[in-house]
Structures are given as structure tokens and as C-alpha cells.
Amino acid sequence: MGVVTSSKTYAALAVFQAGDAVACAIPLAPIEKLLNDLGVPAGVRPVLPVAKAASALGLLSVNRFPALARLTTAMLTVYFVVALGAHIRARDFSVTAIPAALFLALFAVMTAKGPDRA
């Protein structure tokens, strides 16, 4: 049992994703500014909170449906590839790009390892 494969890690990341979904739905001013800076189209923005809420549910499924949780981490890996790509396309190499890179690496490792078997 490792930290990355623990159901507690999945639960903590689910809480984070749920909070981020709420912050994107409002949207909080720093998030709106970042989306503007990255050139995220207005038509895409309503999808973000839905995707983040769905990912929270997928992460929370880890104990009952570990395959769904693993699929969720795979989809989050793709999401953060796109997010990091948006930073690169916008030539944003500031501190705001670091979370995208870190979450990309984290979810890629989680996908490769899969959750612990109960």
C-alpha cells in the first residue's frame, strides 16, 4: 500500500476536485483571470465544473469500483495534458503552470499503479 494508491489519497483528491468544481462554477476571480489569460473560450468554461464534479465522483468510487477510479485518473491525466498545453500555448511559464504539471504527473502515476485492492 502506497500513498499514491491509497483510497485516502483518492478521497482527498476528490474533495479537492469538488472544491475546484465549485470555484469554477462561481467563478472565483483568480480562476476567471487565469482562464482569460490562457484564452479558454467562453463556451468551454461551463463544462469545467461539470467535468471536475464528475471526476470527484469517479475518484470517490475507488472502494466499490476501482476500475472506474482508475479510468477517472486516466481522464484526469488527459485533462491536465490539455491544461499544461494551454499554459504552453499561451507562453505562461509562471508559477500558475506548476499545479497543472504536478497534477499531470500525479494522475499519470496513479493511473499506472491503480488503486490499492481492498
Side-chain angles (χ1 to χ4, degrees):
M1 179 170 148
V3 172
V4 174
T5 59
S6 167
S7 62
K8 289 180 183 180
T9 300
Y10 281 78
L13 289 167
V15 169
F16 178 82
Q17 286 295 103
D20 199 24
V22 170
C24 283
I26 292 174
L28 293 179
I31 292 173
E32 189 165 21
K33 180 185 180 323
L34 180 60
L35 293 175
N36 289 338
D37 291 347
L38 295 180
V40 177
V44 172
R45 294 178 190 198
V47 175
L48 297 177
V50 175
K52 291 176 183 197
S55 71
L57 292 174
L59 291 169
L60 287 175
S61 75
V62 69
N63 292 322
R64 291 190 120 191
F65 305 105
L68 176 59
R70 194 171 198 173
L71 175 62
T72 301
T73 61
M75 293 298 98
L76 282 164
T77 301
V78 171
Y79 175 88
F80 283 106
V81 165
V82 172
L84 188 57
H87 284 276
I88 293 168
R89 184 179 52 89
R91 300 196 184 283
D92 175 22
F93 303 109
S94 69
V95 71
T96 60
I98 294 171
L102 293 176
F103 278 121
L104 168 57
L106 174 63
F107 286 119
V109 169
M110 290 175 77
T111 301
K113 291 187 174 245
D116 287 338
R117 300 288 176 195

